[in-house]
């Protein structure tokens, strides 16, 4: 094989990758039945394959220009897809948290406080709450696992010296009938939402209803940084209320959104693969000095596993204290 074939090989690989991406985009975004989507993808692949064959049998620049034109048309359609705050949402995400800060006093609207019996059986409550940031006393990181050890949902809980806890969670905003898909998260399938919840809602639904495994870690953070992070969540939530945004499995998820906020507060935070493999995020926090340094990561994980304590606590009004028994730093 002479060197003159290498550009065609590279062009072929690029066309194959672009064709695969286009097929996935069509599958996740075309407003059609499965049969209609399959037919559209078959047509897309047929056109792309024809141009790929032409790359080797005709003058390469003709095939490349033809493919670029075809892909440009797909990009015009892709760019026309806009996020929206107006869809038929599931009950637990039908509202979005928003609020305002007046000095140290914060008023939050649409704080979720559901009483969950199952994913289909619950008492829905949305509340307006007020918090004094001068009384902000702690931050905890919760990681919730449902299968793979490398993947977890990340929640941040703010504790106040009056015993109240408020959890902020970056969520995909599911429509009725939708299910979470990591692959769909790359293809504009979901909008992004930030919801503030009572701790008995956000953590208990994961341990007691959905069967997830939850770990709690006390985070070392100066009071000023805790306050700034709380206000950053508020600002992000207000922005999402005004302007919808797509969720993305890598670039806009429950960890990267928080990391972007933290980089504005704490300079020099390094980027790390564990920000993408969220199940390993506690190790990253320990390495940057964010967790209790007198314990190993294994000890923090063992003592921070709150799953069984949460199941025993149930709907006890002292839920937050009971799940923290034995957690280092408490």
């Amino acid at each position: 094989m002479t060197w003159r074939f290498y550009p065609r090989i590279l062009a072929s690989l690029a066309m194959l990758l672009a064709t695969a991406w286009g097929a996935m985009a069509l599958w996740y975004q075309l407003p059609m039945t499965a049969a209609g989507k399959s037919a559209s993808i078959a047509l897309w692949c047929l056109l792309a394959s024809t141009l790929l064959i032409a790359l080797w049998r005709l003058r390469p620049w003709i095939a490349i220009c033809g493919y670029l034109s075809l892909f440009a048309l797909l990009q015009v359609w892709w760019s026309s897809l806009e996020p929206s705050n107006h869809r038929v949402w599931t009950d637990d995400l039908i509202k979005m948290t928003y609020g305002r800060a007046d000095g140290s006093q914060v008023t939050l609207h649409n704080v979720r406080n559901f009483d969950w019996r199952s994913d289909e059986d619950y008492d829905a409550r949305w509340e307006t709450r007020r918090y004094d940031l001068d009384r902000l006393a702690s931050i905890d990181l919760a990681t919730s696992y449902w299968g793979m050890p490398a993947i977890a949902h990340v929640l941040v809980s703010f504790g106040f010296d009056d015993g109240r806890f408020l959890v902020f969670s970056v969520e995909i905003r599911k429509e009725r009938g939708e299910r979470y898909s990591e692959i769909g998260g790359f293809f504009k399938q979901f909008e992004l939402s930030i919801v503030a919840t009572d701790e008995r809602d956000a953590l208990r639904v994961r341990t007691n209803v959905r069967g997830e495994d939850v770990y709690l870690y006390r985070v070392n953070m100066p009071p000023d940084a805790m306050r700034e992070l709380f206000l950053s969540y508020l600002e992000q939530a207000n922005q999402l209320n005004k302007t919808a945004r797509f969720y993305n499995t890598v670039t806009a998820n429950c960890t990267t959104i928080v990391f972007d906020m933290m980089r504005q507060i704490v300079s020099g935070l390094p980027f790390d693969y564990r920000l993408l493999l969220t199940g390993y995020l506690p190790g990253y926090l320990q390495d940057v000095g964010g967790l209790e340094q007198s314990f190993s990561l294994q000890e923090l994980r063992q003592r921070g596993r709150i799953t069984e304590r949460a199941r025993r606590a149930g709907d006890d009004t002292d839920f937050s204290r009971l799940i923290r028994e034995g957690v280092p730093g408490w």
Side-chain angles (χ1 to χ4, degrees):
M1 182 182 294
T2 61
W3 65 268
R4 60 196 174 99
F5 286 107
Y6 290 131
R8 293 193 189 192
I9 293 173
L10 293 176
S12 297
L13 291 173
M15 290 168 67
L16 287 171
L17 290 173
T19 301
W21 181 91
M24 297 296 290
L26 292 168
W27 177 259
Y28 281 101
Q29 284 301 328
L30 281 179
M32 298 178 178
T33 63
K37 291 180 180 182
S38 297
S40 299
I41 292 171
L43 177 60
W44 162 256
C45 292
L46 177 63
L47 293 171
S49 299
T50 300
L51 292 167
L52 183 59
I53 293 171
L55 176 68
W56 289 90
R57 294 191 175 182
L58 301 176
R59 292 183 178 179
W61 66 269
I62 296 176
I64 291 173
C65 288
Y67 191 88
L68 289 175
S69 299
L70 182 66
F71 193 72
L73 288 174
L74 184 72
Q75 287 299 309
V76 170
W77 163 74
W78 181 253
S79 299
S80 71
L81 301 175
E82 297 290 341
S84 173
N85 282 332
H86 305 289
R87 304 192 194 278
V88 183
W89 308 110
T90 57
D91 288 344
D92 58 328
L93 295 164
I94 197 168
K95 297 185 179 183
M96 297 180 69
T97 302
Y98 68 96
R100 62 181 177 84
D102 184 9
S104 66
Q105 303 300 312
V106 174
T107 301
L108 289 178
H109 303 283
N110 296 336
V111 176
R112 200 183 73 197
N113 187 18
F114 280 30
D115 185 13
W116 297 89
R117 289 175 291 277
S118 74
D119 266 329
E120 293 76 33
D121 182 18
Y122 44 79
D123 297 325
R125 288 191 300 269
W126 295 92
E127 302 171 349
T128 294
R129 294 187 175 186
R130 293 172 177 81
Y131 295 92
D132 184 351
L133 295 184
D134 288 340
R135 305 187 68 176
L136 186 57
S138 66
I139 287 185
D140 294 296
L141 175 82
T143 54
S144 184
Y145 300 80
W146 58 90
M148 297 180 292
I151 304 298
H153 184 66
V154 174
L155 309 94
V156 175
S157 180
F158 292 86
F160 294 81
D161 63 10
D162 59 0
R164 293 192 298 167
F165 291 87
L166 181 76
V167 174
F168 278 103
S169 179
V170 178
E171 303 267 353
I172 62 166
R173 201 176 186 194
K174 295 194 296 288
E175 299 174 57
R176 291 189 187 276
E178 268 190 335
R179 298 178 65 86
Y180 176 67
S181 164
E182 290 90 349
I183 298 175
F186 287 104
F187 294 97
K188 298 185 178 182
Q189 186 176 8
F190 310 108
E191 275 81 8
L192 191 66
S193 176
I194 292 180
V195 59
T197 74
D198 188 277
E199 199 169 68
R200 283 193 302 166
D201 175 333
L203 300 186
R204 188 160 62 97
V205 70
R206 294 181 177 276
T207 55
N208 298 26
V209 172
R210 297 174 183 166
E212 298 180 14
D213 199 17
V214 180
Y215 297 77
L216 197 68
Y217 303 88
R218 179 75 179 267
V219 178
N220 295 324
M221 188 178 291
D224 288 347
M226 289 194 293
R227 184 185 187 120
E228 288 187 53
L229 183 58
F230 189 103
L231 292 174
S232 292
Y233 267 111
L234 177 59
E235 180 183 0
Q236 290 284 334
N238 287 341
Q239 288 180 0
L240 287 174
N241 265 273
K242 294 177 181 177
T243 306
R245 178 181 176 186
F246 281 122
Y247 171 91
N248 185 281
T249 303
V250 171
T251 61
N253 59 42
C254 62
T255 302
T256 56
I257 296 294
V258 180
F259 179 68
D260 289 342
M261 290 190 285
M262 283 303 305
R263 291 186 77 175
Q264 298 177 29
I265 299 169
V266 181
S267 61
L269 284 178
F271 191 80
D272 191 282
Y273 75 94
R274 289 169 290 187
L275 297 168
L276 303 178
L277 299 178
T278 50
Y280 304 133
L281 184 63
Y284 171 82
L285 284 179
Q286 188 185 50
D287 289 347
V288 299
L291 301 182
E292 292 289 322
Q293 296 298 296
S294 56
F295 295 85
S296 68
L297 182 61
Q298 181 65 21
E299 290 174 311
L300 291 173
R301 180 177 171 83
Q302 288 177 348
R303 297 179 61 174
R305 185 173 184 266
I306 66 168
T307 306
E308 295 304 324
R309 294 196 290 269
R311 290 171 181 167
R312 289 194 300 268
D315 62 355
D316 195 303
T317 56
D318 211 14
F319 177 86
S320 293
R321 183 188 64 81
L322 292 172
I323 64 173
R324 283 173 169 78
E325 291 181 351
V327 175
W330 283 96

